[in-house]
Amino acid sequence: MRVYQFRHQRAPAIVAAPSKGPGAHLIYEPMRELCEHAVAAALGAGASYADARVVMRRSQVVGTRNGRVERLDDQETEGIGVRVLVGGAWGFACDRRLDQGGAEAAAGKAVAFAKAAPGGHSRELASLEPARGEYRTQVERDPFSVPVADKVDLCLRAEQALAHEDVKVTSASVRAQRELKFFVSSEGASTEQEFVECGGGIDAMAARDGVTQIRSYPSAHGGISSQAGWEFVESLGLEGEAPRVGEQAAALVRADPCPSGVTTVVIDAEQMALQVHESVGHPTELDRVYGTEAAYAGTSFVKPDDLGSLRYGSEHMSITTDPTTPGGLGAFGFDDEGVPASREPIVREGILSGFLTSRETAARIGSGSGGSMRADSWSRMPLVRMTNLHLEPGEGSLDELIAGVDDGVFLQTNKSWSIDDKRLNFQFGTQVAWEIKGGKLGKMLRDATYTGQTPVFWGSLDAVAGPDEWRLHGLTNCGKGQPGQHAHVSHGASPARFRNVQVGFKA
């Protein structure tokens, strides 16, 4: 990490050092001053409101495939983004130069873009006490202190443990990211945050007699990540779990296809995380509800006046947004509008009770103060995004959920998903399933899918397992916006049971 100093900097302020240790104030004070300079330049050019974010990020991915290093990325990026309001119109611009010239250029362009917006505009922001503070991810072991050779060796050992005569392709990967973020607004907010993420996963693809199947751990699509240090990757136990994963991939190519029909399903916590993400998280983003985020990411079946009245699901369904969740990829001290993190209900006992909001959309609906605005880099304008969105636990264990099923299917580990733009009609596929007979798991099944309509499906929720079964799953591939942005979010869930669900395709 380079140390930045500017001719215009004042005497260094005393601030808490990030996990990189002594000398952090040499970075922190100049970055805060740079944001202040950008905001002042924007106000001087005619903005009625302005905020500036400096973001400095390092990300690393190590991946192996069939015993060879397939990917070794280590990238750094840095820059400043400035957002303004002029005559009620938003403007945003960015610059990769972390100096006065870059700050002034971004501020000037942002104001010019806002002034060029056609038509009349009227926007209000929810009132907010200016926030000043810091946030740090709690880290036991800095992931960037672990040698790349050790990371490669971990991946190769995990791959070797996946070996089976029917497993034709093996892969393993680990990732790490550190991000420093500085925010200043014209209202007086000033925040400093440091985020550290780690994650990893393994996959085994088996083939036999024209049938191909995949098995993953701890999740498909790149594994699972957490806001934590290298200790999280070690806790996954990739090498220890690999033999089971390889054996299940091989067993799947011999398994019977999952039969079609309307039945009871028990869905594991990992798949429930994606179910929450797609059918609750996205449709309760208030910009989608108002139709201002529509062209790429779609709209929503939910309407603004549904707040407090829409029956979203059964009484067993309670969904909470919580950016204070330890380890969550959506955890922070302050969002990208400077709104402090807070835990809020989205669905309470089946009734829609809240939205994911910005300061603008919160003012428009007359509820809340925002808190869900995030951008995936310094070069993007913040959008309403999920933070950590959880299905609250119920009671009992996974075994007890299964014991309550005479005839049904247990679905585990996401394989595919499809959902319409309004987030109403969906189809999900899982890597593996097991039949349930007389309250006990039976034979393994492959190619399992289930379909539904969001409020009907959640209305069939019969039970959610208790806190001991609750797991946090971090995803790094949530896409939204134009230009596209990828948010990192986490979802906590326990396994859940649903009655009268269409599994497979209707005859």
Side-chain angles (χ1 to χ4, degrees):
M1 179 73 66
R2 285 178 283 173
V3 175
Y4 295 85
Q5 298 189 54
F6 303 109
R7 296 173 186 170
H8 66 282
Q9 80 177 75
R10 300 189 295 263
I14 299 175
V15 297
S19 60
K20 288 186 72 67
H25 67 279
L26 296 178
I27 299 175
Y28 274 52
E29 181 64 12
M31 295 302 101
R32 180 168 52 247
E33 289 188 349
L34 192 62
C35 290
E36 291 171 351
H37 187 77
V39 167
L43 295 177
S48 59
Y49 168 86
D51 60 45
R53 283 178 298 113
V54 165
V55 181
M56 308 159 69
R57 177 188 295 162
R58 180 183 179 187
S59 57
Q60 184 186 80
V61 179
V62 174
T64 62
R65 185 181 179 90
N66 286 348
R68 301 181 64 180
V69 176
E70 180 186 51
R71 185 177 181 186
L72 183 52
D73 298 338
D74 200 328
Q75 302 176 340
E76 293 187 64
T77 180
E78 61 194 25
I80 184 170
V82 180
R83 189 180 65 147
V84 302
L85 273 176
V86 181
W90 285 114
F92 174 81
C94 58
D95 201 291
R96 64 178 66 254
R97 295 171 295 166
L98 291 182
D99 56 25
Q100 285 193 14
E104 292 169 0
K109 289 179 182 178
V111 171
F113 292 153
K115 289 180 176 179
H121 302 274
S122 178
R123 283 185 170 87
E124 294 183 6
L125 304 181
S127 61
L128 180 70
E129 191 72 23
R132 303 182 69 87
E134 303 176 5
Y135 171 89
R136 305 279 187 275
T137 301
Q138 296 299 309
V139 173
E140 295 180 14
R141 187 179 182 190
D142 179 1
F144 292 100
S145 71
V146 179
V148 171
D150 291 355
K151 296 173 181 177
V152 170
D153 184 59
L154 171 62
C155 290
L156 292 176
R157 294 198 316 271
E159 272 203 78
Q160 291 173 355
L162 289 168
H164 188 284
E165 62 177 342
D166 289 329
V167 172
K168 309 303 181 184
V169 179
T170 59
S171 61
S173 65
V174 294
R175 62 173 295 270
Q177 178 173 294
R178 172 182 285 109
E179 181 177 276
L180 296 174
K181 183 182 292 185
F182 310 86
F183 175 88
V184 170
S185 81
S186 59
E187 295 175 332
S190 179
T191 66
E192 305 164 354
Q193 303 187 85
E194 180 189 30
F195 306 96
V196 179
E197 298 178 4
C198 281
I202 54 177
D203 299 282
M205 181 175 291
R208 183 184 179 90
D209 299 330
V211 177
T212 301
Q213 296 289 308
I214 190 169
R215 197 74 179 95
S216 305
Y217 170 83
S219 175
H221 321 300
I224 284 178
S225 293
S226 177
Q227 200 176 117
W230 187 250
E231 65 276 4
F232 178 75
V233 175
E234 294 176 327
S235 74
L236 293 176
L238 299 179
E239 184 178 5
E241 295 287 343
R244 173 188 61 82
V245 174
E247 290 170 4
Q248 288 190 354
L252 275 170
V253 297
R254 296 171 171 82
D256 292 333
C258 182
S260 299
V262 176
T263 188
T264 298
V265 298
V266 176
I267 302 176
D268 79 319
E270 187 265 358
Q271 175 60 30
M272 282 307 305
L274 188 64
Q275 184 73 55
V276 168
H277 182 97
E278 299 293 348
S279 67
V280 183
H282 280 307
T284 58
E285 294 165 343
L286 198 50
D287 56 346
R288 295 175 61 106
V289 173
Y290 278 124
T292 56
E293 181 65 41
Y296 172 73
T299 54
S300 175
F301 75 93
V302 181
K303 300 178 181 62
D305 57 5
D306 285 335
L307 184 64
S309 61
L310 175 67
R311 170 58 70 177
Y312 211 113
S314 76
E315 67 275 15
H316 301 287
M317 179 193 188
S318 289
I319 303 287
T320 305
T321 180
D322 187 4
T324 70
T325 306
L329 296 186
F332 50 74
F334 314 89
D335 79 346
D336 285 348
E337 290 189 308
V339 180
S342 65
R343 176 183 171 91
E344 303 290 343
I346 300 299
V347 178
R348 184 185 286 120
E349 296 181 352
I351 302 298
L352 179 68
S353 303
F355 289 107
L356 303 172
T357 65
S358 62
R359 291 182 64 190
E360 178 185 348
T361 56
R364 184 173 177 180
I365 203 170
S367 176
S369 59
S372 297
M373 285 286 272
R374 294 197 292 156
D376 77 352
S377 79
W378 54 269
S379 63
R380 295 291 184 264
M381 189 168 178
L383 300 172
V384 177
R385 305 307 302 262
M386 284 171 264
T387 59
N388 303 309
L389 191 69
H390 309 317
L391 173 64
E392 296 299 323
E395 298 179 350
S397 65
L398 172 61
D399 288 342
E400 288 174 312
L401 291 187
I402 293 171
V405 180
D406 291 331
D407 185 43
V409 180
F410 175 50
L411 303 163
Q412 189 174 35
T413 311
N414 180 258
K415 185 176 184 180
S416 64
W417 69 94
S418 176
I419 190 165
D420 66 22
D421 284 349
K422 289 184 176 296
R423 304 286 151 163
L424 187 59
N425 299 291
F426 65 82
Q427 176 182 300
F428 291 106
T430 62
Q431 289 187 354
V432 65
W434 281 268
E435 68 175 10
I436 303 174
K437 297 290 186 183
K440 298 183 181 298
L441 292 182
K443 65 181 180 179
M444 177 185 285
L445 302 169
R446 61 175 169 88
D447 300 328
T449 64
Y450 68 99
T451 61
Q453 188 180 69
T454 295
V456 176
F457 174 78
W458 283 103
S460 73
L461 177 62
D462 178 62
V464 181
D468 289 345
E469 302 280 1
W470 196 87
R471 300 290 183 271
L472 190 65
H473 297 83
L475 314 173
T476 60
N477 61 343
C478 176
K480 184 178 178 182
Q482 290 179 310
Q485 300 190 36
H486 286 89
H488 296 186
V489 303
S490 287
H491 302 290
S494 298
R497 186 173 66 207
F498 298 81
R499 304 288 185 180
N500 302 313
V501 175
Q502 177 68 49
V503 175
F505 298 98
K506 294 182 180 179

